[in-house]
Every structure is written in C-alpha cells, then in structure tokens.
Amino acid sequence: MTNGVTIGNGLKSNLDLGAPRLNANRQALLKPMASLRAEEDEIRQGGGAKAADAQRAKGRLTVRERLELLLDPETELLELGLWAAHGMYAEYGGAPGAGVVTGLGRVCGRLCMIIANDATVKAGAFFPMTAKKVLRAQTIALENRIPTLYLVDSAGVFLPLQEDVFPDTDDFGRVFRNNAVMSSLGIPQITAIMGMCVAGGAYLPVMTDTVLMTEGSGLFLAGPSLVQAAIGQITGPEELGGAAMHAEISGTVDFKEPNDHACLVRLRSLVSKMGERVSKTPEVFSRVEFDAQRDGPGAAAEDVYALLSPEPGASNVYDMREIIARIVDRSEFDEYKADFGRTVLCGYARIGGRAVGIVANQKTNQMQTVAMGPAAGTKRIEVGGVIYTESAQKAARFIMDCNQSLIPLVFLHDVNGFMVGKDAEWSGIIRAGAKMVSAVSTSVVPKISVIVGGSFGAGHYAMCGKAYDPRFLFAWPTARYAVMSGASAANTLAEVRAKQMERGGKVLSEAEKKALHDEIKSTYDAQADPRYGAARLWIDAIIDPGKTREVLMTALEACALNTEVPRFNPGILQT
C-alpha cells in the first residue's frame, strides 16, 4: 500500500515558450526541416517520372506503389537508410536511396523488415551503398529476430563498380550468407520476385524460406545473351528462367502469380499465417499495459523544436529533461544518482509501456564539488555537454545495472566530449572514460541511440555510437557528428596548414588565414551534417524531433522480438 505517498518522479516542463530565443530556435529549425522533407520527397521519386512510366509499361508497379499495397492501411513505413548514397555516384547519374527501400512496416499486424529494390534506379542494380544498405537492414533483422520480406526487381551488380560491390566481407555476397544465418535462427524470410533477378542475385530468393514470382519476371544465373556467349545456346528469357518454367519444371518458386497486385495479396496472406517463436514469457523485457491517451507524456512533443538552434557551431544550452519529459510515458523519470555527475542524466522510464534506461547528456552548466585532484573539496562549474569523471563513473554503473535488470538502453546524444586538463587528468578521467566505454561495449541489452545535437570525439563512443552496436541509431536535423566541432577543427587545421605554408616560404596575410579557416570550417561542417552521415549509413534515419517518441516505440517493439539475451559479462573494469 502506498498510502498516498508519491516519489516525485514526474518531470515538469519549465519552458517559457514565448521567450524570444525559443521562438527564434523554432523558426530557424522549421526552415531546414522543410528543406529536408523536400529532399526526402525527391529521393522517394527514385529514378524519376520517366523511369516510373517505363516500369509501368512493363506491367509492373513502382516500388512505392508496391509498398502501399503491402503495408497495412493507415500505417507508415519507418524507413531506414533513405539518405543512403545521397550526393554520391554523381558520375553515374546518382543513385537515389541507393536504389533500394528498407524499413520497418506492419503487414497483417506483424512488424516486418522490408527490403525492396527500386527498379527505376539503374534497373535496381547494386551499387556499393546498395549492398551496405541491404546488409544493414539484414543486421537489424538478425539482431532483433524480425521477419523479413524481400521485393526483388534488380539487374544485379552495377558492373562499373563491381570491385567495390563483389569481394569483401561487407559486400554483395554477405547478403546470401545472412539469408542462411537468418534462416538457421528461425527468422522467417519471404521473397517476391517482381521483375528481374539475375546473376549472383538469383541466390537471394532461393536462400529464403518461401519464393513468389510474377509472370513476366526472370530468375536466372545468366541471361540469354550471356548464355549464348558462354556456351553458344540460344534461348528466350521465358524458357530460360520465367515464372512458368520455375513453377512447373525447376520447382524453384512456390507460388506463381499473374501480376504484382496478386503477388502482394498472396504475400500478405502468407504473412498473416506466420507463427511466433517466443519463450515461456512473450517478452524478456518489462512491459505494462499501455494506453496512448492515458499514458502519453505530459508535455507537447512539438515544443522540442524550440530547444536547439540548427546553426552549425550554435551554443545550445537547455535542460535535457525537457526532451525526456516529451518522450517517456506520463513524463515520469526515476533519475539515478540525480545529485552526482550531473552533466550526464541517467534514469528509468517507460516508452509505450516498455521499460527503458536513459543515458543523456545534460546541456546546462552544473555546480559540483570536486572529489579528487588538485582542487579537491572546492566547488566548480561543470560545462553542460561535457563528460566529467563523476559523470562517466555514474553512467558506467547505471549501464551495468540496466544489464543486470534486463532493461533496454536509450542514449540521447548532445556531447562535446570528455573533460580535459590537469584537474580532469588527476581525477582519473581516462580511467573513468574507459569504464564507461567498456560498459557500453559489453552491454547485452538492446541499445538505441538518438543524436539530438552534437556527438563529438570519444563522447560519441561512450554514448553508444555506431561502432558500439546500437540496434538503431537515429538523428535529429540538428545533429552534428564528427571527431570535433567544425569551429574547433577549423582552428586546429587552419593553424597547421598555415605553418606548413609558411615553412614553404609563403607568408599568409590575416585575410588569407581567415579564408583558409572559413574554407576548412565549411568543409568540416558539411561532413558533420547528419545528411552526410546518413548517406554513408552511419545513421539509420534522420527523424522529425517531434516524432522521436513514436520512432522509439517502434524500435523498442522490434528489439523485444528477440527474447534471447546473452549473459552479461562486463570483463575487467578500471577501478
């Protein structure tokens, strides 16, 4: 019995939404968000209207039309890797979305990973980033045991770049290896061949559990022209590898369908009959009954637009609890060691009824009593967004506690890095940082990262950056992702470059030094932009800040599908 006792874990928003700075931030963010949406709409056009018309002329739907019929009505695809290959392969006319669509969507109520070739982009051929995007989708499906549906319509490897697609461990062949491993783990995979499926790519459908094929499609290791060149045999595509041949003679396909529409209806029917592999309890992670109205956050999601300025190098100072209050159920947050290591916030909450541990960078400056080093016992101001020794120690212990209690982790990044200087070194910042990095590295519960603002240097690693196996890594449009900020990098690199030039006998004027600095900063800022990272699949998706909670709910649901959690063994920790 609680006897009316409360623990005060409800977060109260203190935002003054009428404040000029917050209004300026909101207006400044709306512009790049509108630009991002316009660019995303353009990417979704794939190869453009002419290529889409050519696809329809073959009696086939475009990839987006197929997805609309496949997904449950009034549901959305959580698209992953949309920005893949953005700004790349210009010499070949570009490859919007890397010529493939991947994401999490609901089919007959079942959350599925969907991998669908876009034949309007170079006939669905595999560029290097295409292979990496498919592999990333398969990795997510593997880690989370998500049923996977492939809509195949591809001409195979993009031959001019075959050396970057074919041979390595993270190239095209790994796709088929993953098919086999996923099957061995009991992850359902169904392939619908809805166009061409040739050369090495022909192995993909046959490596999956069930194969559908539409009439007019082709499945062969070598097309008619290559067969004639190789062995002198003359044959037509239907006789060589059409749907009728594979359904009636080779027995390779399980379902022959007349067209895309019928194929997608059949695919939905098959998904509706899938069972679920679960342990004695449906989930190993804590989940309670959830009602969207009753358990929603107490603060409006769209308020987050006012928190951060999107300008590169902007000094954003805000209370990270304002973001947490807008993504957790009922805005309730049990803060862990609230008075210790205050530049990192740790605590327990629920998102969509699912328990999570949150590790987040606090962006307001904090007053702290110095525990060790030359200034022990004195008070100091700790800079928001910087990880100090106490913060790292707290976060490491919290991460280990979440692993002990089987609680998934959510990391909210806005981190400048670890503290430097004599006081920091004397206090053991390297040792504490190593402890936090080790805890993140050996963590066995699902980890999800959201880059809200900056994510720089070793701070990115400690907050579960891409190299530390987050199940998902999302970014806001305000994210900046690099070894250090553009301003810091420009100051350092410009100074080095100027000295190199001066050693060569050229004395730079102040105007020349400034131009050099500005050039370096511009390049560095462009590389720190989330679109640059998303193009290279360092980021799974750039998300609308106001939809962070919904994205996390879907990601947590996906993570919960894998009920096998290894034993937590943190190894040797620095003490």
Side-chain angles (χ1 to χ4, degrees):
M1 298 291 291
T2 61
N3 296 320
V5 175
T6 61
I7 57 174
N9 64 347
L11 296 175
K12 305 295 183 185
S13 177
N14 295 311
L15 284 183
D16 177 8
L17 296 173
R21 181 179 66 85
L22 297 187
N23 276 324
N25 284 348
R26 183 186 295 104
Q27 294 305 315
L29 181 56
L30 290 177
K31 292 179 182 178
M33 283 184 62
S35 175
L36 278 171
R37 290 192 189 105
E39 286 185 86
E40 288 177 345
D41 288 343
E42 186 174 353
I43 292 171
R44 290 189 177 99
Q45 299 303 311
K50 185 176 179 180
D53 289 341
Q55 176 80 347
R56 296 187 190 102
K58 298 172 186 174
R60 299 172 189 162
L61 300 172
T62 67
V63 67
R64 300 286 171 179
E65 291 166 343
R66 288 169 177 167
L67 291 174
E68 187 175 353
L69 293 173
L70 175 63
L71 297 174
D72 291 350
E74 299 181 7
T75 66
E76 293 184 6
L77 180 74
L78 175 53
E79 190 162 352
L80 306 172
L82 173 63
W83 290 86
H86 177 68
M88 301 170 69
Y89 311 126
E91 65 273 34
Y92 301 107
V100 64
V101 179
T102 63
L104 294 174
R106 294 196 185 280
V107 179
C108 298
R110 190 77 175 264
L111 190 65
C112 296
M113 174 62 74
I114 298 167
I115 300 173
N117 299 117
D118 184 351
T120 69
V121 179
K122 302 295 189 295
F126 271 65
F127 285 75
M129 290 307 301
T130 315
K132 288 174 173 53
K133 182 171 174 177
V134 172
L135 290 172
R136 175 58 182 158
Q138 287 184 319
T139 298
I140 291 171
L142 267 165
E143 290 177 338
N144 301 292
R145 306 296 193 264
I146 307 170
T148 303
L149 310 178
Y150 303 87
L151 306 186
V152 175
D153 192 350
S154 170
V157 168
F158 185 68
L159 291 178
L161 295 174
Q162 67 85 25
E163 66 175 315
D164 297 319
V165 181
F166 174 70
D168 213 341
T169 53
D170 60 347
D171 285 340
F172 191 49
R174 189 77 170 184
V175 173
F176 318 133
R177 175 266 185 194
N178 285 350
N179 289 141
V181 172
M182 290 167 72
S183 183
S184 74
L185 293 171
I187 302 170
Q189 298 175 89
I190 304 177
T191 298
I193 302 170
M194 311 175 81
M196 290 297 103
C197 185
V198 300
Y203 285 111
L204 186 151
V206 188
M207 298 289 287
T208 62
D209 307 327
T210 308
V211 184
L212 294 73
M213 187 173 181
T214 59
E215 294 178 6
S217 295
L219 172 65
F220 24 66
L221 289 179
S225 298
L226 185 55
V227 167
Q228 184 176 359
I231 64 173
Q233 187 179 76
I234 299 174
T235 181
E238 281 296 320
E239 183 183 13
L240 181 65
M245 190 284 289
H246 282 302
E248 300 170 18
I249 300 174
S250 78
T252 301
V253 304
D254 305 307
F255 296 91
K256 181 186 72 172
E257 304 298 340
N259 52 46
D260 284 10
H261 290 83
C263 188
L264 293 166
V265 170
R266 178 79 70 183
L267 181 53
R268 284 181 55 83
S269 179
L270 294 173
V271 172
S272 73
K273 297 173 179 66
M274 284 180 182
E276 295 190 57
R277 295 178 183 271
V278 295
S279 59
K280 291 181 181 178
T281 54
E283 294 188 24
V284 295
F285 309 116
S286 173
R287 181 188 178 194
V288 299
E289 184 182 346
F290 169 75
D291 179 85
Q293 295 298 320
R294 180 194 66 204
D295 300 318
E302 59 269 18
D303 294 345
V304 297
Y305 299 140
L307 285 176
L308 282 78
S309 167
E311 295 301 320
S315 179
N316 286 307
V317 177
Y318 61 93
D319 188 345
M320 181 62 83
R321 294 184 188 88
E322 296 285 356
I323 292 177
I324 296 172
R326 287 161 174 81
I327 62 175
V328 302
D329 295 356
R330 297 179 300 281
S331 297
E332 291 179 356
F333 181 61
D334 295 303
E335 189 168 345
Y336 176 88
K337 295 185 186 292
D339 298 319
F340 181 73
R342 295 174 182 172
T343 61
V344 172
L345 299 176
C346 299
Y348 304 99
R350 289 188 184 273
I351 299 177
R354 289 185 162 85
V356 295
I358 295 175
V359 181
N361 304 112
Q362 175 59 288
K363 288 294 290 182
T364 59
N365 295 341
Q366 302 292 312
M367 184 66 71
Q368 184 78 40
T369 300
V370 180
M372 294 180 288
T378 63
K379 296 279 189 180
R380 71 172 176 216
I381 297 290
E382 294 189 340
V383 179
V386 175
I387 301 175
Y388 289 77
T389 299
E390 297 86 355
S391 307
Q393 290 172 335
K394 176 175 80 171
R397 174 57 187 269
F398 178 75
I399 291 165
M400 289 190 287
D401 284 357
C402 286
N403 277 270
Q404 185 76 359
S405 301
L406 289 180
I407 301 174
L409 286 157
V410 174
F411 294 83
L412 302 176
H413 296 221
D414 197 345
V415 58
N416 298 334
F418 285 89
M419 190 57 189
V420 297
K422 187 170 73 173
D423 288 350
E425 299 292 357
W426 283 33
S427 72
I429 186 66
I430 298 176
R431 190 172 68 249
K435 189 184 301 183
M436 184 176 176
V437 169
S438 180
V440 171
S441 302
T442 58
S443 175
V444 294
V445 296
K447 297 170 291 190
I448 302 171
S449 288
V450 182
I451 303 177
V452 170
S455 190
F456 299 121
H460 172 74
Y461 301 152
M463 291 295 292
C464 193
K466 186 63 184 291
Y468 292 81
D469 299 321
R471 299 279 183 94
F472 297 92
L473 194 154
F474 303 111
W476 285 11
T478 48
R480 292 294 179 269
Y481 188 6
V483 72
M484 65 178 71
S485 69
S488 298
N491 290 336
T492 302
L493 293 173
E495 183 69 22
V496 170
R497 190 86 58 82
K499 287 182 178 178
Q500 289 174 337
M501 296 172 75
E502 287 169 358
R503 282 197 296 269
K506 179 175 175 59
V507 178
L508 298 179
S509 67
E510 288 303 314
E512 288 173 323
K513 288 181 179 179
K514 183 179 184 306
L516 181 62
H517 174 278
D518 291 347
E519 178 189 351
I520 293 171
K521 184 176 183 300
S522 176
T523 300
Y524 207 88
D525 284 341
Q527 292 176 352
D529 188 287
R531 289 170 292 188
Y532 189 91
R536 288 151 183 81
L537 296 175
W538 305 337
I539 293 166
D540 290 316
I542 302 173
I543 63 173
D544 182 333
K547 295 184 177 179
T548 304
R549 173 176 165 82
E550 287 75 12
V551 169
L552 288 174
M553 286 171 65
T554 301
L556 287 165
E557 180 184 351
C559 292
L561 294 175
N562 185 356
T563 59
E564 297 178 11
V565 182
R567 177 177 173 269
F568 178 50
N569 184 18
I572 295 174
L573 291 176
Q574 291 285 344
T575 58

